[in-house]
Amino acid sequence: MPPDSIPMTAGQQRGRRSWAEPWKIKMVEPIHMTTREFRQKAIAEAGYNTFLLRSEDVYIDLLTDSGTNAMSDRQWAGLMLGDEAYAGSRNFYHLEEAVRQHYGYRHLVPTHQGRGAEHILSQIRIKPGDYVPGNMYFTTTRLHQELAGGTFVDVIIAEAHDPANLHPFKGNVDLDKLQDLIEKVGAEKIPYVSLAGTVNMAGGQPVSMANVRALRELTDRYGIPIYLDATRMVENCYFIQQREPGYAGKPVAEILREFCAYTDGCWMSAKKDALVNIGGWLAMNDQELFDEARNMVVVYEGLHTYGGLAGRDLEAMAIGIEESTRDDHIRSRVGQVEYLGQMLLDWGIPIVQPVGGHAIFLDARKIYEHIPQDQFPAQALTADLYVDSGVRGMERGIVSAGRDPATGDHRYPKLELVRLAFPRRVYTQAHIDVVAESVQAVYENRAQARGLRMGYEPKHLRFFQARFEPLPE
Ligand code: PLI
């Protein structure tokens, strides 16, 4: 260790050698800091909703890790290999091969992004009056299930709803809850289990291999299929490698194949794990379901060999899948999230623990404990962070949860969070330090924070476009 007078790196302070990203930067995109006055005006004009800001007015953009990834030189080169034939593009076959090799499913239907796949799966599997159990809702997933006539039932373990609980696999399905549902409504009313790895709304929390194995055993007894939201499944597999007994030495790519083998198919937003800016797919083993999905995709997305994408996008996805499953990539990706999480924890700032795969989630219920949930504390905290430093996050609380279609009332989720999601291969450690310092500044100023009133509320997925105004002091 160096003597006290020499500053130590973060790694040395923690008594370990540092790791670094397995890439270097070849091209840059300038970003700039604005003034506080400018940002106050910008957020007011955006109705205190960070989705309505112009990206040019943002300094560090942690709104989402969706479609915001930096592609590699191999992926950019792959764009030039785009075969833009309407039918039978060679890039489709490359993508099909990549999905078969890494996820293990036989059949592939490309879609323009994840919700295109959710739409098709929901329409072909769910009948009005059905119940769809899942490990916590996701906004677009649940909406498509509801639009198809289904009712989503949350069967995640109780620990997932507690930000401070340190369970290593907070994404796990509570098998007793699922069994109760099956007994209550009957297996014939359950078209599939909607299993997500990792669980976005719970804080990027993983599902264990033991849990999916047990889930398979249970669902097999009733003939219920399991469909996997594989959007961040590589991150999930990294946590299995790090935390689950028996997986320490196994490559993430191998763990991914094993996990997927317990499921019947998946839908994917390739804009996350798969390191592209647009794209998705639906994959499955069942021939009949594939025939239906392939028929449906031509109605809503495009021919079954392009699904709403250009050939070049399919190629970038095929290459991205392979890159995303490399151990050194996934370690540095999650490692960057953990770096911010550890700093905030050291400073006593409440966040969801354990730190998840794609984002840090600030516990707005705790940080703004004086603001009641129907005054949108997480929405207010997101806006305050932007005003402090130009860092853009996203509300993941009562606004995102929307209204109960049966009663029309707000849903009141236990988790009232601000998500700071990390685009892959985009920001450096210095950017992350700036984010940490801004979170700390807003945290220290928390007593001054005020709640919001919703002015405009759209019908579907209101968090994207709702407008707010500050409540009077
Ligand atoms: O944004 P899409 O349509 O490509 O994918 C929808 C979608 C499905 N599942 C999960 C777990 C998601 O996180 C997801 C999209 N997430 C977004 C846009 C996000 O910011 O988290």
Side-chain angles (χ1 to χ4, degrees):
M1 296 286 274
D4 288 348
S5 54
I6 300 174
M8 288 197 284
T9 67
Q12 285 166 333
Q13 282 165 23
R14 298 190 192 293
R16 60 159 167 77
R17 293 292 291 269
S18 295
W19 52 264
E21 290 80 3
W23 40 259
K24 57 184 176 174
I25 297 165
K26 193 177 305 212
M27 196 197 293
V28 295
E29 178 181 343
I31 52 175
H32 67 278
M33 183 60 124
T34 52
T35 63
R36 190 177 180 88
E37 292 66 39
F38 178 92
R39 293 191 295 275
Q40 273 165 338
K41 199 162 160 272
I43 197 73
E45 279 171 8
Y48 295 85
N49 184 346
T50 48
F51 278 102
L52 302 179
L53 288 167
R54 286 171 182 247
S55 112
E56 274 176 349
D57 299 340
V58 172
Y59 179 41
I60 298 173
D61 202 351
L62 306 186
L63 180 72
T64 177
D65 61 328
S66 178
T68 52
N69 305 305
M71 293 207 297
S72 68
D73 50 0
R74 288 172 68 245
Q75 286 177 292
W76 280 103
L79 293 187
M80 298 307 292
L81 301 176
D83 170 4
E84 306 306 343
Y86 190 90
S89 160
R90 71 169 162 262
N91 313 114
F92 167 77
Y93 297 105
H94 186 191
L95 178 64
E96 187 184 53
E97 190 186 298
V99 171
R100 281 186 182 152
Q101 186 185 336
H102 292 282
Y103 292 82
Y105 304 112
R106 267 196 292 282
H107 306 298
L108 173 75
V109 178
T111 58
H112 77 285
Q113 58 183 83
R115 70 199 72 179
E118 287 171 343
H119 172 222
I120 292 171
L121 181 69
S122 302
Q123 290 295 327
I124 60 182
R125 289 291 321 189
I126 301 170
K127 294 187 302 302
D130 280 352
Y131 294 86
V132 187
N135 53 345
M136 200 174 271
Y137 85 99
F138 182 69
T139 53
T140 57
T141 316
R142 181 176 63 189
L143 180 60
H144 280 295
Q145 290 164 352
E146 288 173 352
L147 290 172
T151 301
F152 176 82
V153 183
D154 188 2
V155 294
I156 202 166
I157 57 171
E159 288 87 338
H161 295 281
D162 173 5
N165 190 293
L166 292 175
H167 192 296
F169 291 102
K170 279 164 94 172
N172 280 356
V173 171
D174 182 329
L175 299 175
D176 292 335
K177 275 191 203 162
L178 179 59
Q179 174 89 50
D180 288 350
L181 179 73
I182 298 170
E183 281 166 18
K184 196 168 134 214
V185 304
E188 65 290 349
K189 287 256 179 240
I190 301 180
Y192 59 93
V193 172
S194 176
L195 179 72
T198 58
V199 181
N200 193 350
M201 302 303 278
Q205 303 296 325
V207 179
S208 70
M209 195 71 84
N211 189 247
V212 72
R213 206 177 288 131
L215 179 66
R216 179 79 274 174
E217 271 173 33
L218 174 64
T219 53
D220 273 352
R221 274 190 260 137
Y222 297 95
I224 301 171
I226 303 169
Y227 285 98
L228 176 67
D229 182 342
T231 296
R232 298 186 184 85
M233 198 55 223
V234 182
E235 290 169 10
N236 195 107
C237 293
Y238 175 72
F239 287 122
I240 291 176
Q241 184 196 58
Q242 296 299 307
R243 298 178 188 169
E244 192 158 354
Y247 289 90
K250 281 218 169 117
V252 163
E254 216 176 284
I255 300 173
L256 180 63
R257 288 276 310 217
E258 182 183 336
F259 195 103
C260 291
Y262 290 115
T263 69
D264 297 280
C266 81
W267 70 95
M268 175 79 181
S269 171
K271 301 171 73 172
K272 284 80 167 177
D273 264 358
L275 296 166
V276 289
N277 304 121
I278 193 71
W281 73 74
L282 186 60
M284 69 281 286
N285 293 324
D286 185 76
Q287 179 71 46
E288 231 172 88
L289 190 75
F290 173 56
D291 289 341
E292 274 184 76
R294 205 159 73 133
N295 193 219
M296 190 87 164
V297 82
V298 298
V299 181
Y300 290 103
E301 303 274 319
L303 195 77
H304 55 271
T305 55
Y306 74 83
L309 296 162
R312 55 180 171 267
D313 299 325
L314 303 172
E315 188 62 25
M317 254 198 290
I319 298 169
I321 290 171
E322 190 271 315
E323 290 181 1
S324 75
T325 55
R326 292 187 194 167
D327 280 31
D328 58 354
H329 159 73
I330 196 68
R331 171 183 177 223
S332 85
R333 188 281 183 284
V334 179
Q336 192 177 49
V337 181
E338 285 170 342
Y339 173 77
L340 176 60
Q342 194 54 55
M343 231 175 329
L344 299 182
L345 286 171
D346 287 350
W347 297 343
I349 298 173
I351 62 170
V352 173
Q353 293 185 72
V355 168
H358 66 301
I360 292 298
F361 290 73
L362 308 176
D363 187 353
R365 187 191 283 280
K366 269 238 170 90
I367 297 174
Y368 282 179
E369 60 188 356
H370 57 293
I371 301 180
Q373 197 170 17
D374 59 6
Q375 293 178 12
F376 314 113
Q379 189 77 30
L381 180 57
T382 311
D384 292 344
L385 187 65
Y386 171 74
V387 170
D388 181 73
S389 60
V391 170
R392 170 156 73 168
M394 178 197 292
E395 193 265 6
R396 295 275 79 158
I398 185 171
V399 183
S400 296
R403 291 183 184 273
D404 185 325
T407 64
D409 294 338
H410 289 306
R411 289 172 166 125
Y412 286 86
K414 288 208 179 101
L415 299 176
E416 180 69 22
L417 309 172
V418 174
R419 187 184 74 172
L420 304 174
F422 288 49
R424 295 164 188 79
R425 311 192 288 206
V426 170
Y427 290 117
T428 66
Q429 191 161 320
H431 291 116
I432 304 307
D433 288 344
V434 169
V435 173
E437 289 160 16
S438 180
V439 171
Q440 189 186 38
V442 172
Y443 180 66
E444 277 170 6
N445 217 23
R446 61 195 179 281
Q448 268 73 56
R450 278 190 286 154
L452 299 167
R453 185 156 55 89
M454 203 184 313
Y456 166 65
E457 180 178 357
K459 188 163 163 227
H460 297 304
L461 303 174
R462 63 184 184 179
F463 58 95
F464 283 131
Q465 291 150 343
R467 298 185 68 84
F468 301 82
E469 51 215 47
L471 286 165
E473 278 176 72

